[in-house]
Amino acid sequence: MSAAEKTRERRVHRSGRLFASELGLMCGRRRNQVGLATLFALVVLVGVALKVSAMRRPGSRGGDLVSAVAGNGIYLGFAGLTIEIALFLPLAVSVLAGDAVAGEANQGTLRYLLLAPVGRLRLLVVKAGALIVGSVIGAMVVAAGGVLTGVVLFGAGPLISLSGTQLSVADGLWRLALAALYVATGLAALGMIGLFISTLTEQPIAATVATAMVGTLLWVLDAVPQLDWLHPWLLVDRWPAFVDLLREPVFLDRIVAGLGINAAYGAVFFALAWLRFRGKDITS
Amino acid sequence: MSLPPEHEGSEQPELAIASTGLTKRFGRQQVVDDLALAVPSGSVYGFIGPNGSGKTTTIRMLLGLVRPDSGSCALFGKPMPQAAGGVLPRVGALVEGPAFHPYLSGTANLRRLDAADPSSDSATASARIGSALDRVGLRAAAGKRYRAYSLGMRQRLGIAAALLHPRDLLVLDEPTNGLDPQGTREVRHLVAELAAEGTTIFVSSHLLVEVEQLCSHVGVMRSGRLLTQGPLDELRTLTAPRFRLQTPDPAAALGVLATLEVPDAAADADAVTGTLAGLEPERIVAALVAAGVAVRSFTPVTATLEDAFVELTGEGFDVSG
Ligand SMILES: Nc1ncnc2c1ncn2[C@@H]1O[C@H](COP(=O)(O)OP(=O)(O)O)[C@@H](O)[C@H]1O
Ligand SMILES: [Mg+2]
């Protein structure tokens, strides 16, 4: 191994150390743990509500995803993502993202990180990485919480795909995991918007609220029929496309387009965050 | 002194900190105005000035946290903020008080800062963190959450963070803020110890007495401008020593003082005062006595640095700006 390769390896290793520190900070924070528990509890709540209504009216079966849960608990994973994708998951990501830079600035720890010296780009990359991990954890917890609750309350079995064919349990769980990852890419893109906003202020709460409002605004715009020309360009428009993973064969068009939009939003807002942060006066 | 070889044997004494025309404006207020700092390597440089005179803002610019509107600064000859990545590992700093994550312990906070520095080696982290904590007397509280720390303990942890590596330069912005007299003494002792090891120290304070015993050099700030800087002894001489003479016959005394060419001799109700202006006190007394002027008492008044400071700033320690 050449000296340059060794230096490079050491640098990567040392950025890994900072990344581990960042994840430890994020996961160790009581507030974040409570938030994650809330995401989980919401799916449990939905499961219990479905169980109660299924016991009251055993005969009735709707055609949608939520009522399918009564027949097979694994569907509750998908139902959980559907229910939390509009508000709770974006809110959770907004909390993490708003805190990313503004939280450190507010505490004054930002100046000491920069004096370490962490390197501004390196810090921003680590913060973005942590937001991506946080998005994945959030979506996974909702999906896993759904499956656990559903299986406990309704039992598990082969799934019927949206195209009417049968999917094995293992196949269904795989598709659920992919659905959660797909949802996570959208959340991470919203996280990059939040990261950018977080570089604009020293008030983490303000950054969180602003990010959550952007998320909500996007959903509202996406629901206005008169703006249908705009819909394909809205970040959230294709988020619900994860249900396409339940088709047989899997229908990928919307998901691929959604991944493209998520990546584009993520890249643009990360770039904006960097443009803002690289020369910013740190007066906190 | 652990300077890199390329700096050895240069003609001028190397400057740890140098700035030219350093200027920063916040809104309409000129916070730092045309600052030309020169902090020699190996010195203990006291950066004094009243609250709001621009000390912290200057320090932020020196360390690359804030961009100057105009002018430039360099640490060890390397331009800031461009060279931050290379130079800052050689610099330990406490800026505007300590700041840490409240829910992490002292040790965990230092571990995080150590992880942030790409040049630091994780294998030696525990040992370095332990010895930094020892150095500031915080080992016993190392496992406590930062939020449970007293003000003084927080300040100590901030200093410990600056000592995670052996440094060539320590920048300490009001390091004794919030410390009790015992803590203040300890910090002073620590600074003296580090200086003796060859570390250049740049310490800011609004309390002159705090740095007076410590520093080899001072720079005096007022309203964003550097009024004077240089070796401490030079600053002392800025205020000429005076004398105070008590005599029953002030008019005769003034006559004698005039022949001695004392520039500003003056009599008030109970004493005659004037500037010594290079004259030995014994010569003045001898001349007075020879001329038959009765001398009740003659007291040379040596100026304290405090006097020099007040004379320079004109306003003592009032907040400016
Ligand atoms: N971020 C800021 N925005 C506006 N004014 C500021 C900011 N930071 C400092 N100032 C002003 O600049 C002046 C100098 O502040 P500072 O450098 O903290 O002085 P010192 O450290 O000597 O007390 C003060 O009048 C202060 O109000
Ligand atoms: Mg200050």
Side-chain angles (χ1 to χ4, degrees), chain B residues 269-292:
Chain B
D270 47 31
V272 176
T273 58
T275 305
L276 278 173
L279 292 167
E280 276 84 45
E282 53 270 33
R283 252 197 78 198
I284 300 178
V285 177
L288 287 164
V289 173

Side-chain angles (χ1 to χ4, degrees), chain A residues 122-219:
Chain A
R122 185 163 163 261
L123 179 65
L124 214 54
V125 167
V126 164
K127 290 285 181 187
L131 286 175
I132 292 171
V133 171
S135 302
V136 171
I137 292 177
M140 284 294 182
V141 160
V142 169
V147 169
L148 283 176
T149 312
V151 168
V152 167
L153 294 179
F154 303 102
L159 289 87
I160 309 297
S161 76
L162 292 179
S163 321
T165 57
Q166 207 177 35
L167 304 174
S168 71
V169 170
D171 198 7
L173 290 178
W174 254 118
R175 290 176 189 225
L176 177 60
L178 287 177
L181 282 179
Y182 173 74
V183 168
T185 62
L187 294 172
L190 180 65
M192 295 307 119
I193 296 180
L195 183 66
F196 168 58
I197 295 174
S198 188
T199 61
L200 301 178
T201 170
E202 286 168 14
Q203 297 301 326
I205 305 288
T208 290
V209 169
T211 309
M213 278 167 59
V214 167
T216 306
L217 182 70
L218 289 171
W219 282 113

Side-chain angles (χ1 to χ4, degrees), chain B residues 56 96 173-174:
Chain B
T56 300
E96 189 110 290
D173 189 10
E174 316 233 4

Side-chain angles (χ1 to χ4, degrees), chain A residues 14-274:
Chain A
R14 283 174 187 179
S15 287
R17 201 176 151 216
L18 177 60
F19 191 52
S21 159
E22 189 64 33
L23 292 185
L25 202 62
M26 182 175 78
C27 298
R29 216 165 146 178
R30 187 61 49 87
R31 186 196 68 188
N32 296 345
Q33 292 166 354
V34 169
L36 212 54
T38 308
L39 291 179
F40 188 95
L42 280 165
V43 207
V44 175
L45 204 68
V46 169
V48 170
L50 287 174
K51 182 76 183 174
V52 170
S53 82
M55 287 192 306
R56 277 201 186 150
R57 296 177 289 131
S60 74
R61 289 203 60 169
D64 65 353
L65 202 55
V66 173
S67 52
V69 170
N72 187 336
I74 293 175
Y75 281 119
L76 190 57
F78 290 94
L81 289 175
T82 306
I83 289 158
E84 300 207 23
I85 202 174
L87 182 60
F88 295 105
L89 281 170
L91 199 58
V93 169
S94 301
V95 170
L96 295 182
D99 212 36
V101 177
E104 302 269 11
N106 189 255
Q107 263 173 10
T109 42
L110 181 57
R111 65 175 180 270
Y112 287 110
L113 284 174
L114 295 178
L115 293 177
V118 68
R120 293 191 184 207
L121 183 57
R122 185 163 163 261
L123 179 65
L124 214 54
V125 167
V126 164
K127 290 285 181 187
L131 286 175
I132 292 171
V133 171
S135 302
V136 171
I137 292 177
M140 284 294 182
V141 160
V142 169
V147 169
L148 283 176
T149 312
V151 168
V152 167
L153 294 179
F154 303 102
L159 289 87
I160 309 297
S161 76
L162 292 179
S163 321
T165 57
Q166 207 177 35
L167 304 174
S168 71
V169 170
D171 198 7
L173 290 178
W174 254 118
R175 290 176 189 225
L176 177 60
L178 287 177
L181 282 179
Y182 173 74
V183 168
T185 62
L187 294 172
L190 180 65
M192 295 307 119
I193 296 180
L195 183 66
F196 168 58
I197 295 174
S198 188
T199 61
L200 301 178
T201 170
E202 286 168 14
Q203 297 301 326
I205 305 288
T208 290
V209 169
T211 309
M213 278 167 59
V214 167
T216 306
L217 182 70
L218 289 171
W219 282 113
V220 169
L221 293 178
D222 198 51
V224 176
Q226 287 81 356
L227 295 177
D228 58 356
W229 53 272
L230 184 65
H231 292 171
W233 306 104
L234 294 176
L235 174 61
V236 300
D237 185 58
R238 294 185 189 81
W239 283 13
F242 67 87
V243 294
D244 289 356
L245 287 163
L246 273 178
R247 295 179 201 279
E248 185 64 29
V250 172
F251 178 63
L252 278 179
D253 287 11
R254 287 204 303 161
I255 287 180
V256 169
L259 287 174
I261 288 280
N262 292 346
Y265 268 85
V268 165
F269 280 94
F270 181 83
L272 287 176
W274 168 236

Side-chain angles (χ1 to χ4, degrees), chain B:
Chain B
M1 183 92 222
S2 51
L3 289 172
E6 73 256 30
H7 290 286
E8 275 168 19
S10 58
E11 283 175 41
Q12 280 194 321
E14 192 194 333
L15 294 178
I17 301 174
S19 77
T20 48
L22 203 62
T23 299
K24 185 72 188 182
R25 194 184 291 278
F26 282 128
R28 290 207 327 272
Q29 190 190 357
Q30 192 88 359
V31 172
V32 175
D33 190 4
D34 195 24
L35 218 62
L37 282 173
V39 178
S41 269
S43 65
V44 178
Y45 187 106
F47 192 46
I48 48 187
N51 291 323
S53 57
K55 304 183 296 295
T56 300
T57 306
T58 303
I59 288 172
R60 284 180 193 275
M61 285 192 281
L62 296 176
L63 298 174
L65 293 172
V66 163
R67 249 161 226 260
D69 292 331
S70 59
S72 62
C73 50
L75 300 180
F76 300 108
K78 309 268 171 39
M80 290 295 289
Q82 296 82 351
V87 169
L88 287 182
R90 298 167 64 187
V91 180
L94 184 70
V95 182
E96 189 110 290
F100 293 94
H101 290 279
Y103 296 103
L104 296 184
S105 69
T107 307
N109 267 300
L110 294 188
R111 199 170 282 284
R112 176 166 169 79
L113 285 177
D114 197 60
D117 176 1
S119 69
S120 91
D121 184 1
S122 62
T124 59
S126 295
R128 285 182 291 108
I129 289 169
S131 72
L133 288 168
D134 277 341
R135 201 132 197 203
V136 298
L138 210 53
R139 182 60 84 98
K144 261 195 199 166
R145 283 179 169 199
Y146 178 71
R147 63 174 311 198
Y149 279 20
S150 70
L151 199 57
M153 289 159 84
R154 292 174 180 204
Q155 195 76 2
R156 285 163 195 253
L157 189 63
I159 297 173
L163 299 177
L164 278 177
H165 290 277
R167 311 284 193 184
D168 294 329
L169 170 65
L170 274 182
V171 176
L172 302 172
D173 189 10
E174 316 233 4
T176 53
N177 256 3
L179 293 182
D180 50 22
Q182 170 68 15
T184 305
R185 254 196 308 280
E186 283 172 22
V187 166
R188 241 186 252 149
H189 183 74
L190 182 61
V191 168
E193 215 175 79
L194 289 160
E197 290 167 18
T199 310
T200 308
I201 313 236
F202 184 82
V203 53
S204 84
S205 181
H206 65 282
L207 286 177
L208 193 71
V209 286
E210 232 165 48
V211 294
E212 192 172 357
Q213 318 158 21
L214 209 62
C215 294
S216 60
H217 292 66
V218 285
V220 180
M221 288 285 283
R222 179 191 171 194
S223 309
R225 300 191 66 96
L226 189 63
L227 296 176
T228 181
Q229 74 176 333
L232 189 57
D233 302 336
E234 272 177 30
L235 180 68
R236 267 211 190 87
T237 61
L238 281 180
T239 325
R242 301 174 62 79
F243 64 82
R244 191 181 151 82
L245 166 70
Q246 286 187 309
T247 171
D249 192 1
L254 285 175
V256 175
L257 292 171
T259 64
L260 287 170
E261 295 180 345
V262 171
D264 56 351
D268 60 24
D270 47 31
V272 176
T273 58
T275 305
L276 278 173
L279 292 167
E280 276 84 45
E282 53 270 33
R283 252 197 78 198
I284 300 178
V285 177
L288 287 164
V289 173
V293 179
V295 175
R296 277 193 195 133
S297 78
F298 183 92
T299 326
V301 185
T302 29
T304 61
L305 196 54
E306 181 90 32
D307 297 329
F309 185 88
V310 171
E311 193 157 289
L312 277 167
T313 61
E315 60 184 40
F317 295 103
D318 295 338
V319 172
S320 68

